[in-house]
Amino acid sequence: MLVDGLEQRVLESLPEDVNSVVVAVSGGVDSVALLHLLQRISSSRSLVLHVAHLNHRIRPEADGDARFVEELCCRLAIRYQGECCDVPELAAQEKISLEMAGRVARRRLLERVAADTGAQLIALGHHRDDQVETLLQRLIRGTGISGLAGMAVRDGIWWRPLLCYSRRQLLDYAHRNRLSWREDASNQDPAFVRNRLRTRILPLLEEINPQCGERLVVLSRQIAEEEGYWHEQVMACFPSIVASASDGLRLLRPPLLSFHPALRLRLLREAMRQVRGHLQGIEAVHLRAMDALLRGARSQAQLDLSGCWVARRYEHLWLCRTAPEPPPQYVLPVKVPGETLLPDGRRLVITPVLRAEVETRHRVYFDLTAVESSLSVRTWRPGDRFIPLGMLGHKRLKRLFSDLQIDKEERLRTPLLVAGETLLWVAGLQRSGFGTVTPDTATPVRIELL
């Protein structure tokens, strides 16, 4: 019988080491059937259930749904935790659709309840019809191949034990067991894309092929199997493209370009997942834009994508949740001799010495008697130029930065030692030809950037 089959399949998909599960219950037939199934098998597995319900305040009936779920849990002696959230307000605040805001709010509640209760899994009532609608929705929004794998029965903490059953089968289970549930009128609202797919598009496709839904699910399973292979390849290759993860995620451009485009796009997708924490809202167009940035002729460019800032910086691809804040601009008088503290915590130290020694990027020597004006340290300004040591003519600072492949962000942090309008030292990079120490220099000084 279907009832026995459902219970057995749910039991088989439950890992042996799981003893606590959060169940997402909206009050609809899918989630009520799921709760009933889990409650029936709980005694055989010593399974503790916790029900979570989100009152999204979108419909007038929402309060009634919350009361129904709470009363149901009371009858079944199952722990219940409900929460209210103004989903329309959340959608406005985060600039996302009402559908997406509802999912975000529900996800946050479920994760919080799981953390509070120590539950190992969160059970969702998604079924085969939901899978079909998800596939169609992703197709029309422009998904990549990975998106066609659809929802998985197990995805980390998320568990969908009913994914292989249709809504019709769940209705049959509910009727057989005389369950009661709440009908959500918004499921017929054509304002939601998923509803239009279910009520308009799918019936047309089923006129062409009555098995359309089943064919899509089979295709999804085949793609999911292949995605398992690709996941192994991505995890094996990903460490080789990471330059650093101290300020977001910096990827090495040359090895990325050496991979086949199919693998490269999946590596970029994994980078997005690591930075954002999830892939919600990420579509094929975003990955293609990243790939174009990576392969393009511009050595410095950036993109603002959904929940992620991506920048090409010469031979790196830099990903952050948000664009980095520009460092403060400043002009400071320099103590001679003495120590000058810079806003970023570095120090400019000037010390009298008997003679000059070998210079480095962070240590130079000057004859201050050859410098007419008092010293100051400041940040870069458009149009800055100087005469590098060994050259006769001026060089624009922008050109120096470009030649040395200095990132835009680092350019704004580079201290410049100046005397009046004369640039003496691009600290940490290159000195000018002014004020060099000679055998006739009476009082040379050492200037260090520490």
Side-chain angles (χ1 to χ4, degrees):
M1 290 179 64
L2 179 62
V3 172
D4 297 333
L6 266 172
E7 291 178 9
Q8 185 61 33
R9 287 291 293 273
V10 170
L11 196 56
E12 289 173 356
S13 69
L14 181 64
E16 290 290 340
D17 59 344
V18 171
N19 54 34
S20 180
V21 175
V22 174
V23 190
V25 181
S26 65
V29 64
D30 314 329
S31 60
V32 168
L34 172 64
L35 180 61
H36 188 264
L37 277 162
L38 292 176
Q39 198 265 345
R40 287 183 65 164
I41 68 172
S42 61
S43 58
S44 63
R45 288 289 300 273
S46 300
L47 188 66
V48 178
L49 302 178
H50 312 267
V51 166
H53 173 84
L54 178 72
N55 183 343
H56 45 59
R57 292 181 171 173
I58 297 177
R59 300 179 293 106
E61 300 86 358
D63 290 341
D65 293 344
R67 285 193 299 272
F68 170 82
V69 175
E70 186 173 9
E71 291 168 1
L72 174 63
C73 292
C74 184
R75 290 198 303 273
L76 297 176
I78 295 175
R79 296 173 177 86
Y80 166 84
Q81 183 166 336
E83 184 175 286
C84 293
C85 176
D86 193 332
V87 171
E89 182 179 343
L90 177 65
Q93 287 177 348
E94 303 200 6
K95 298 179 181 179
I96 54 179
S97 70
L98 205 58
E99 288 176 280
M100 178 61 73
R103 286 195 292 272
V104 168
R106 185 176 72 153
R107 187 184 186 95
R108 289 173 181 171
L109 169 63
L110 293 170
E111 289 176 337
R112 188 163 58 253
V113 174
D116 292 343
T117 60
Q120 298 106 321
L121 290 178
I122 299 173
L124 306 172
H126 293 133
H127 48 72
R128 189 172 65 195
D129 295 29
D130 292 324
Q131 182 79 295
V132 173
E133 293 164 16
T134 296
L135 293 173
L136 289 175
Q137 195 168 28
R138 291 180 179 180
L139 269 173
I140 62 177
R141 285 180 174 174
T143 186
I145 295 297
S146 300
L148 293 180
M151 297 180 287
V153 174
R154 279 288 306 278
D155 181 13
I157 196 173
W158 306 97
W159 179 40
R160 302 176 180 89
L162 305 180
L163 205 53
C164 61
Y165 292 101
S166 68
R167 188 172 191 273
R168 185 173 300 172
Q169 289 174 302
L170 295 181
L171 281 169
D172 182 51
Y173 176 87
H175 288 310
R176 286 173 182 267
N177 288 275
R178 298 179 180 178
L179 304 182
S180 58
W181 61 87
R182 299 274 292 184
E183 290 292 350
D184 186 348
S186 67
N187 286 335
Q188 304 301 319
D189 187 350
F192 296 105
V193 173
R194 184 177 287 270
N195 293 344
R196 295 201 298 274
L197 288 172
R198 180 175 59 255
T199 60
R200 299 178 185 177
I201 305 302
L202 268 172
L204 291 176
L205 293 175
E206 289 170 351
E207 285 182 13
I208 300 172
N209 180 2
Q211 300 300 314
C212 171
E214 182 59 32
R215 295 300 92 206
L216 285 171
V217 170
V218 170
L219 173 63
S220 173
R221 290 173 186 160
Q222 293 172 345
I223 293 174
E225 290 179 359
E226 295 186 5
E227 283 301 304
Y229 164 79
W230 279 114
H231 178 72
E232 292 178 0
Q233 299 303 305
V234 167
M235 291 299 101
C237 296
F238 198 82
S240 69
I241 66 170
V242 177
S244 71
S246 59
D247 56 348
L249 188 61
R250 291 181 185 256
L251 307 180
L252 296 166
R253 184 170 177 261
L256 264 172
L257 292 176
S258 71
F259 290 120
H260 187 281
L263 179 55
R264 186 168 68 240
L265 286 172
R266 285 173 168 82
L267 288 166
L268 294 177
R269 185 172 182 267
E270 172 61 17
M272 288 281 278
R273 187 196 66 78
Q274 291 192 19
V275 170
R276 298 171 80 248
H278 59 83
L279 288 167
Q280 292 178 11
I282 295 302
E283 300 171 0
V285 63
H286 300 126
L287 300 180
R288 294 290 181 188
M290 288 176 64
D291 193 51
L293 185 70
L294 181 75
R295 294 182 293 104
R298 297 180 62 187
S299 59
Q300 298 212 72
Q302 51 273 329
L303 296 168
D304 282 305
L305 300 179
S306 176
C308 189
W309 178 81
V310 184
R312 161 86 179 276
R313 293 294 182 257
Y314 294 103
E315 294 305 292
H316 290 93
L317 197 67
W318 184 16
L319 291 81
C320 299
R321 286 295 301 268
T322 58
E325 291 290 332
Q329 304 301 286
Y330 59 85
V331 179
L332 300 173
V334 171
K335 297 177 183 178
V336 183
E339 179 179 297
T340 303
L341 182 64
L342 305 183
D344 62 4
R346 289 183 289 181
R347 294 172 291 133
L348 195 68
V349 180
I350 300 182
T351 309
V353 293
L354 295 176
R355 64 181 182 275
E357 298 179 356
V358 177
E359 294 189 342
T360 67
R361 288 178 56 192
H362 295 90
R363 183 182 68 231
V364 293
Y365 294 84
F366 276 92
D367 178 2
L368 291 186
T369 60
V371 178
E372 298 179 355
S373 305
S374 60
L375 297 183
S376 62
V377 61
R378 64 172 175 82
T379 45
W380 176 42
R381 297 170 182 168
D384 275 340
R385 60 181 189 163
F386 76 125
I387 301 177
L389 180 65
M391 289 183 59
L392 297 178
H394 285 86
K395 184 172 187 175
R396 292 176 66 86
L397 201 51
K398 183 177 181 180
R399 177 63 181 273
L400 173 71
F401 287 145
S402 180
D403 290 346
L404 296 177
Q405 295 193 354
I406 306 299
D407 291 355
K408 288 182 176 181
E409 290 73 25
E410 187 60 32
R411 296 178 186 189
L412 297 175
R413 285 193 291 266
T414 301
L416 307 178
L417 181 66
V418 296
E421 295 300 319
T422 302
L423 202 163
L424 301 179
W425 183 33
V426 184
L429 296 177
Q430 191 169 1
R431 64 163 295 155
S432 75
F434 285 103
T436 55
V437 175
T438 69
D440 298 328
T441 300
T443 56
V445 294
R446 180 179 65 233
I447 305 180
E448 298 174 283
L449 178 65
L450 304 177

